[in-house]
Amino acid sequence: MNAEAASQLVQVLEKTTSGDQNELKAAQAFLESAAQSNLPELIRTLSDVLYHGANSAVVRQQAGVQLKNFLYTNDESLRAQYEERWLAMPEEVRNYTKQNVLGTLGTESFRPSAAAQCVQLIAMVELPRAMWPGLLSTLVQNVTNAASTEIMKESTLQAIGYICQDVEPRCMEETANEILTAIVHGMRRDETSNQVKLASTNALLNSLEFTRANFEKDAERHFIMQVVCEATQSEEVQVKVAALQCLVKIMSLYYQYMEAYMGQALFAITLEAMKAETDEVALQGIEFWSNVCDEEVDLQIEASEASEAGRPPEHVSRFYAKGALQFLVPALMSSLTKQDEYDDEDDWNPCKAAGVCLMLLATCCEDDVVPHVLPFVKDNIKHADWRNRDAALMSFGSILEGPDPAQLKPLVEQAMPMLIDLMKDGSVVVKDTAAWTIGRVCELIPEAAINPLTLQPLLEALVTGLASEPRVASNVCWAFTSLADAAYEQAECGDEEETPATYSLSAFFSPIVEKLLWTTDREDAGASNLRAAAYEALMEMVKNSPKDCYDTVQKTTVIILQRLQQVLQMETHIQSQSDRVQFNDLQSLLCATLQSVLRKVEPAHAPAISDTIMTALLQMFQSSTQTRSGGVQEDALMAVATLVEVLGDGFIKYMDAFKPYLLIGLKNTAEYQVCHAAVGLVGDICRAMGGRVAQWTDEVMEVLLSNLGDNSVHRTVKPQILSVFGDIALAVGPEFRKYLEHVLQTLMQASQAQVDRSDYDMLDYLNELREGCLEAYTGIIQGLKGDGTNPSPDLTVVQPHVSYIVQFITVVARDSEHSDASVAASAGLIGDLCAAFGRDIVQLLDVEPISDLLTAGRRSKTTKTKTLSTWATKEIRKLKNATSTAP
């Protein structure tokens, strides 16, 4: 672009902030067309406009914004494309642009610096590729040069901070020393500008992950800690907060090095911060101690794992939290009393942070926390000021997890009448916290909740609480959820599998369910997640119901079905997107509740309602397919799975009507949760119907094989598809031969998959993939073997693959990262191979990796793995004995 074009660009940039829509559209159209005709030239000119100080602040800022938009996008799927586009530009344009943005640092009159962001965005692309070699030394020079202006130092430190935040730490480790030099220079006590101090403290916060080598050296660590601790004493609140944020992060990253600083400085600095009037400062003080607790809980876990394995732990806890309890608890109690009556539930403030910190302290310090908290509870639970009553409840509820339940139980039983009483408090905040505390009691110390002395008044208070404000009622629902579970656990029952005849809530069951159903229909049930909480409680009540409540369960089933039908008729009245969202949410909730009641329906009663249920579900599939509501499809598929579970092969009469929707679900790879649910359902249908599924398997197999070959299909679906091949093979037996060649080829490819072993998610995926392959092989071998005493001749088609299958089991066995589930699946397959191929296979299986795998399996803590491994070991032994005694 020549000078004339540049001046035209300046005029256009002035209009990009115009209030006049026409001017704005024209400006955007000009930029788009310039980008299409010659993007490198446009980028070059934008960097010129940004660089030239004679242009107005607005124009320069807009030039920076447009430049950023060509360098970076928030859309992750396009990011690589943007990077490639920058790298493909002529080197001369890239160098010219970089020179301009670097030269702009320190010349802008506005904050934040646009040039600093442009430097960051180019660095994100170039530094990991070892390009732009002189960048960091130039930035450091800008900060440490005595002649640099305040604005130069500030904008450069902003650039350094941005780079530290977004460029991968491993690319920054080599230059950590240089970067730290600049950052610490900006944080010195004699630096007069608070803006420079703030920019450098933020940069330090972003650099902490790659400066481990500096923290490992005493002298360098002392210097960094000194500078940070000094910055926490700044009069400027933003600097103080940023410095405290550094301490919070340092505590998590470098706990092991903190002993020298804790007693001398950190304890006093953070305790003082906790007591500060300014919320941002107090929050960081509290966060510091929450982090200490998190670290020390992890270290306790590490210590117990180490002692189990008979080795010393790698790192040890210094028990800072325990040592500071007597000072921390009063400070936290004080924060708990500073709540706002009209507090927004989403606002994070010191009062909420103090509650979380207290819970973490209880988990970390266990019984030691109780004597520090109880006096405050006793002194404040009847206080005239609602804030103190609320703080007393909150602190009592917060210490229920961590200390020994046996020690807490008498205290809670003693407190129960008081908690019930506070459900009628004049303050909605206190009622809310009382309901939450009772919920915690029901979840954590259930014996105290179902104590016969207080059970009836407790249930009356909770049922009344369902008519309270939504936030209170929502906590009451959660209490019912835990209570139902606890009462069911305690019920007298001869056999673990059997439903108990009665339980402590039986007399109250019907009115509770009635009131929960009423709650789901409240006008204001949309607030505080109340509708979902009430349905959740209803599901738990039904799931955990004894035999003498079956009548109510049946009635509830009918009510839920009627509601589902009513909701489906509302489809035609949907007018807006928010109506659609509510409609979908309600369908999903009713579907989930239907599953819960269906599981309780006795098999003999299921066919009477199954037609109505299936009709409603088919209608849901039809409407959700048209409106592309994946969430509803997924829930409806789960409901069908429950119906299959209850009806068994009685489900066959619905298969023809349902099959089109099952195939739509299997093909819906864009919403992978839907696809995942559909694949799981294929397995359920095979298990329920056995050989009768053969008439539908061709189409299903075609879609499954196509999904496996499609790289865009989400990885969580693939292991499950492999496993379902096993279910289909088991169901159709010899019929599976027509798919065998394809499937065995696919299994061979899947079983050879390799992943990046430093990525734990990918390791989990590898294990799931292998479990899927092992389960597929098991199903195929069992299905082709048949049920007869002697293996069916159909097995011969698998014979050539047996040595590969055993080799694959050996690969799993040798992998030190194999999962418990893959050991179980391997053991099951080994046993089946013995049963199917008899003596011929002993030599292949009697090898060290496999015997080591089975030994590990027999020692597993999981019953399934243990049982299968013991069985497989016996099968091999039987064959070995038969072989050795054979003539």
Side-chain angles (χ1 to χ4, degrees):
M1 268 185 193
N2 52 29
E4 188 186 325
S7 69
Q8 191 183 0
L9 183 61
V10 167
Q11 288 169 354
V12 167
L13 290 169
E14 271 170 346
K15 289 183 180 146
T16 54
T17 57
S18 166
D20 179 334
Q21 282 303 308
N22 293 333
E23 284 194 343
L24 186 60
K25 278 184 184 155
Q28 284 168 335
F30 176 88
L31 287 165
E32 277 165 26
S33 125
Q36 272 169 352
S37 62
N38 192 343
L39 182 61
E41 193 53 37
L42 176 61
I43 283 184
R44 184 191 176 104
T45 314
L46 282 169
S47 76
D48 270 339
V49 176
L50 174 64
Y51 177 70
H52 286 300
N55 292 319
S56 71
V58 168
V59 165
R60 296 181 74 193
Q61 204 165 4
Q62 282 308 306
V65 168
Q66 297 305 329
L67 193 49
K68 279 187 330 196
N69 291 344
F70 289 123
L71 290 169
Y72 183 79
T73 170
N74 287 325
D75 183 344
E76 283 187 32
S77 60
L78 295 174
R79 211 162 288 162
Q81 207 174 312
Y82 272 54
E83 290 186 4
E84 293 308 320
R85 186 172 72 182
W86 167 255
L87 294 168
M89 292 212 179
E91 192 176 351
E92 179 267 329
V93 172
R94 287 206 318 271
N95 289 342
Y96 186 86
T97 306
K98 290 190 293 196
Q99 210 170 334
N100 270 346
V101 293
L102 263 184
T104 305
L105 291 172
T107 68
E108 297 155 302
S109 57
F110 45 83
R111 291 195 175 93
S113 157
Q117 288 171 301
C118 292
V119 169
Q120 164 215 9
L121 297 174
I122 298 173
M124 278 167 65
V125 182
E126 297 206 351
L127 289 184
R129 294 172 170 83
M131 297 159 77
W132 210 354
L135 169 66
L136 291 164
S137 44
T138 306
L139 295 177
V140 172
Q141 188 63 36
N142 280 359
V143 178
T144 52
N145 185 344
S148 288
T149 60
E150 182 184 315
I151 193 84
M152 166 66 91
K153 289 195 274 192
E154 185 194 336
S155 58
T156 302
L157 282 160
Q158 277 176 356
I160 291 175
Y162 295 150
I163 290 170
C164 292
Q165 179 184 312
D166 284 324
V167 173
E168 273 205 39
R170 60 184 175 80
C171 307
M172 304 295 291
E173 281 162 4
E174 280 179 30
T175 47
N177 285 336
E178 278 187 86
I179 291 169
L180 266 180
T181 307
I183 290 173
V184 172
H185 193 278
M187 287 177 74
R188 290 165 316 154
R189 199 186 306 179
D190 52 1
E191 173 53 66
T192 50
S193 158
N194 278 325
Q195 292 296 340
V196 170
K197 275 192 170 167
L198 179 61
S200 47
T201 311
N202 280 329
L204 179 68
L205 182 64
N206 291 334
S207 72
L208 289 168
E209 302 211 5
F210 60 78
T211 47
R212 181 166 295 278
N214 306 82
F215 268 86
E216 284 168 355
K217 297 184 184 113
D218 288 356
E220 294 188 28
R221 181 175 65 251
H222 291 332
F223 189 44
I224 297 170
M225 291 304 289
Q226 181 189 335
V227 173
V228 177
C229 290
E230 280 171 4
T232 62
Q233 303 308 298
S234 168
E235 295 297 314
E236 173 60 42
V237 171
Q238 284 183 292
V239 175
K240 194 186 201 61
V241 170
L244 286 163
Q245 283 176 310
C246 287
L247 287 184
V248 171
K249 195 164 178 182
I250 287 170
M251 195 66 202
S252 286
L253 291 169
Y254 304 113
Y255 177 94
Q256 294 306 322
Y257 297 119
M258 288 301 108
E259 199 163 12
Y261 317 106
M262 197 56 154
Q264 287 177 16
L266 302 185
F267 172 71
I269 289 170
T270 52
L271 196 64
E272 182 193 10
M274 284 171 84
K275 297 174 183 172
E277 289 301 311
T278 316
D279 277 6
E280 294 83 14
V281 176
L283 276 170
Q284 294 309 319
I286 297 168
E287 184 68 14
F288 178 86
W289 284 99
S290 291
N291 265 15
V292 170
C293 293
D294 275 336
E295 286 303 310
E296 295 189 342
V297 166
D298 285 348
L299 289 165
Q300 282 166 17
I301 294 168
E302 190 185 321
S304 64
E305 282 175 356
S307 75
E308 264 182 38
R311 57 176 166 76
E314 202 176 325
H315 300 296
V316 290
S317 175
R318 305 273 194 271
F319 302 105
Y320 297 133
K322 226 170 238 189
L325 267 178
Q326 56 184 328
F327 305 100
L328 295 176
V329 172
L332 291 170
M333 297 300 162
S334 165
S335 291
L336 282 176
T337 58
K338 289 180 185 157
Q339 61 282 69
D340 233 338
E341 190 151 14
Y342 303 107
D343 183 17
D344 181 352
E345 286 180 24
D346 297 330
D347 276 352
W348 188 242
N349 55 29
C351 175
K352 288 179 184 154
V356 170
C357 187
L358 196 54
M359 285 191 217
L360 290 167
L361 273 174
T363 310
C364 180
C365 306
E366 299 172 338
D367 294 345
D368 293 346
V369 82
V370 179
H372 292 286
V373 175
L374 276 189
F376 177 83
V377 178
K378 286 179 177 153
D379 294 347
N380 289 275
I381 197 96
K382 292 183 174 175
H383 201 285
D385 187 338
W386 68 267
R387 287 182 173 80
N388 292 57
R389 296 197 299 281
D390 182 61
L393 272 170
M394 187 72 201
S395 49
F396 187 66
S398 297
I399 60 166
L400 295 177
E401 188 169 21
D404 176 9
Q407 184 196 339
L408 288 174
K409 185 172 172 251
L411 295 172
V412 176
E413 286 178 335
Q414 199 183 333
M416 234 24 219
M418 179 62 72
L419 296 177
I420 293 168
D421 211 34
L422 285 164
M423 284 290 295
K424 300 194 280 281
D425 197 272
S427 152
V428 62
V429 182
V430 174
K431 278 198 294 187
D432 188 23
T433 310
W436 172 79
T437 305
I438 289 172
R440 296 262 297 169
V441 170
C442 296
E443 183 188 20
L444 300 164
I445 305 171
E447 296 85 359
I450 44 185
N451 178 342
L453 297 173
T454 49
L455 184 61
Q456 185 157 355
L458 171 65
L459 292 171
E460 285 166 3
L462 289 173
V463 168
T464 311
L466 285 173
S468 278
E469 294 78 358
R471 62 191 272 191
V472 179
S474 193
N475 269 321
V476 171
C477 291
W478 174 56
F480 274 126
T481 301
S482 303
L483 204 55
D485 202 21
Y488 196 75
E489 279 285 301
Q490 283 226 325
E492 297 286 318
C493 191
D495 176 13
E496 266 199 19
E497 291 298 304
E498 205 186 326
T499 305
T502 185
Y503 74 155
S504 57
L505 300 183
S506 288
F508 316 98
F509 187 84
S510 188
I512 292 172
V513 166
E514 214 169 292
K515 194 70 177 179
L516 284 168
L517 279 165
W518 172 85
T519 308
T520 61
D521 248 0
R522 271 176 61 162
E523 289 278 315
D524 54 1
S528 299
N529 202 28
L530 177 56
R531 184 174 285 111
Y535 273 118
E536 182 82 20
L538 192 61
M539 288 183 242
E540 282 301 314
M541 289 292 295
V542 168
K543 178 180 147 194
N544 296 303
S545 59
K547 289 177 181 166
D548 63 357
C549 300
Y550 184 62
D551 193 34
T552 308
V553 172
Q554 278 186 296
K555 285 178 187 155
T556 309
T557 312
V558 175
I559 293 170
I560 296 296
L561 254 175
Q562 283 167 351
R563 285 195 180 183
L564 190 55
Q565 287 165 318
Q566 284 162 2
V567 169
L568 290 168
Q569 281 156 15
M570 285 162 38
E571 170 96 39
T572 48
H573 305 298
I574 290 178
Q575 288 173 338
S576 65
Q577 184 53 34
S578 69
D579 282 359
R580 164 68 58 198
V581 170
Q582 278 192 311
F583 174 73
N584 287 351
D585 285 350
L586 196 52
Q587 282 190 87
S588 292
L589 280 169
L590 286 164
C591 246
T593 314
L594 192 60
Q595 280 174 259
S596 196
V597 286
L598 259 178
R599 286 208 169 92
K600 274 298 194 187
V601 170
E602 288 175 11
H605 297 155
I609 50 170
S610 65
D611 283 6
T612 324
I613 292 175
M614 201 60 203
T615 308
L617 291 172
L618 287 168
Q619 198 178 333
M620 278 175 72
F621 280 118
Q622 196 172 355
S623 76
S624 64
T625 305
Q626 284 159 0
T627 57
R628 302 203 167 278
S629 308
V632 176
Q633 279 185 46
E634 186 187 354
D635 290 309
L637 286 165
M638 309 283 254
V640 172
T642 312
L643 201 55
V644 170
E645 194 183 310
V646 176
L647 293 175
D649 63 1
F651 185 80
I652 197 158
K653 65 174 178 175
Y654 304 121
M655 265 313 282
D656 284 331
F658 173 58
K659 188 190 72 178
Y661 298 110
L662 177 62
L663 291 171
I664 288 170
L666 290 172
K667 287 173 185 165
N668 188 353
T669 53
E671 293 170 297
Y672 69 89
Q673 292 93 335
V674 177
C675 184
H676 196 270
V679 174
L681 180 52
V682 171
D684 297 333
I685 291 172
C686 289
R687 282 187 288 277
M689 293 192 211
R692 298 167 81 178
V693 297
Q695 54 189 309
W696 299 290
T697 49
D698 282 4
E699 285 169 279
V700 170
M701 282 298 292
E702 192 181 331
V703 180
L704 293 178
L705 283 163
S706 139
N707 282 357
L708 276 178
D710 181 348
N711 286 334
S712 65
V713 172
H714 195 275
R715 66 169 192 245
T716 51
V717 179
K718 295 193 172 182
Q720 198 189 13
I721 292 178
L722 298 171
S723 175
V724 161
F725 285 160
D727 295 324
I728 295 173
L730 199 52
V732 301
E735 291 289 316
F736 197 76
R737 288 178 64 161
K738 57 184 169 183
Y739 315 123
L740 201 59
E741 195 179 328
H742 265 321
V743 171
L744 288 173
Q745 188 59 41
T746 307
L747 287 172
M748 192 177 250
Q749 285 169 345
S751 62
Q752 289 169 7
Q754 295 298 327
V755 299
D756 171 4
R757 289 187 161 265
S758 63
D759 181 340
Y760 288 123
D761 286 345
M762 290 309 291
L763 266 179
D764 286 345
Y765 170 62
L766 180 68
N767 275 317
E768 284 164 17
L769 207 54
R770 287 173 170 179
E771 286 152 34
C773 292
L774 293 161
E775 283 162 4
Y777 283 132
T778 301
I780 290 168
I781 287 167
Q782 284 185 6
L784 292 176
K785 173 178 161 281
D787 296 332
T789 337
N790 296 318
S792 149
D794 288 316
L795 263 179
T796 49
V797 288
V798 187
Q799 190 89 40
H801 297 269
V802 169
S803 64
Y804 178 77
I805 295 173
V806 175
Q807 183 195 332
F808 172 50
I809 297 173
T810 316
V811 169
V812 175
R814 285 199 172 116
D815 189 334
S816 60
E817 301 283 353
H818 60 218
S819 60
D820 189 76
S822 64
V823 175
S826 298
L829 180 53
I830 291 166
D832 285 329
L833 284 167
C834 290
F837 296 104
R839 288 191 226 173
D840 307 346
I841 205 164
V842 172
Q843 274 177 313
L844 286 175
L845 291 175
D846 190 16
V847 291
E848 197 173 327
I850 289 180
S851 64
D852 288 349
L853 180 83
L854 293 175
T855 307
R858 292 195 302 275
R859 292 178 188 153
S860 167
K861 289 177 184 167
T862 318
T863 318
K864 181 184 174 186
T865 312
K866 212 174 188 167
T867 313
L868 284 170
S869 302
T870 309
W871 170 68
T873 310
K874 283 180 183 163
E875 289 296 304
I876 293 179
R877 203 171 297 147
K878 261 197 300 199
L879 289 181
K880 275 173 75 175
N881 293 341
T883 315
S884 59
T885 55

